[in-house]
Amino acid sequence: DGGITQSPKYLFRKEGQNVTLSCEQNLNHDAMYWYRQDPGQGLRLIYYSQIVNDFQKGDIAEGYSVSREKKESFPLTVTSAQKNPTAFYLCASSMWGSTDTQYFGPGTRLTVL
Amino acid sequence: GENVEQHPSTLSVQEGDSAVIKCTYSDSASNYFPWYKQELGKGPQLIIDIRSNVGEKKDQRIAVTLNKTAKHFSLHITETQPEDSAVYFCAASGYQFYFGTGTSLTVIP
């Protein structure tokens, strides 16, 4: 089956720790995205990548980092600098650029203890 | 940047009735308008989309209309069913996707 997978589904972190969220796609899409979703709010863009080894900051990149070493993978690290990391994180991909349809993974719920 | 407003934030309808969700956008450069359905604890799923060169698009019980002049677009769901209950997001895209804040739809059996 083609699609986007995210792991883990639930993640718990102690304050001061960095954690990495996994996102993999086998759709052969060039572009990948990370969004944060908080209750009562829309999706806010953290980072996006349109090609391997290149990525750009979105609207709320502070406290996050990414890498894009392979076309299929776009991991997100939530660093200790992110002051309020508890949220639902969604990864998405699209065939090419930002005006193409984005397809979402199932999400990772991160809770800081 | 773009600003997408979505209304209403919550909507309850009786099974079989129609539901309408409206979005407005600010950037005239936006040219792609998808709608997503998100069930609890899951990722959003694309249900229908429209591009700026089209005024209306239908897919069975769902339809989307676009008024470029007024910068608004709407999702219409007819003959609603309990399984339509979910949160619906609109988005507008030119150089980047911008999402509305979501509408929680409840279909009452």
Side-chain angles (χ1 to χ4, degrees), chain A residues 5-70:
Chain A
T5 57
Q6 293 186 241
S7 61
K9 186 171 178 65
Y10 300 97
L11 187 57
F12 298 90
R13 187 195 97 172
K14 294 182 180 179
E15 284 193 29
Q17 288 182 336
N18 293 354
V19 288
T20 298
L21 284 60
S22 170
C23 177
E24 303 277 334
Q25 55 97 1
N26 61 4
L27 301 168
N28 199 33
H29 285 174
D30 285 327
M32 296 187 74
Y33 312 82
W34 274 106
Y35 291 92
R36 170 180 171 141
Q37 186 174 32
D38 294 286
Q41 297 192 33
L43 283 68
R44 293 184 291 169
L45 183 64
I46 304 172
Y47 268 98
Y48 65 100
S49 167
Q50 294 188 303
I51 196 169
V52 174
N53 292 323
D54 187 45
F55 47 83
Q56 286 77 41
K57 294 182 179 180
D59 299 319
I60 56 166
E62 185 175 352
Y64 300 97
S65 65
V66 294
S67 63
R68 186 87 187 275
E69 296 178 0
K70 298 187 298 182

Side-chain angles (χ1 to χ4, degrees), chain B residues 81-104:
Chain B
Q81 302 167 3
E83 52 265 38
D84 294 329
S85 296
V87 177
Y88 292 81
F89 289 96
C90 64
S93 178
Y95 299 103
Q96 180 178 319
F97 265 52
Y98 289 91
F99 288 86
T101 50
T103 296
S104 178

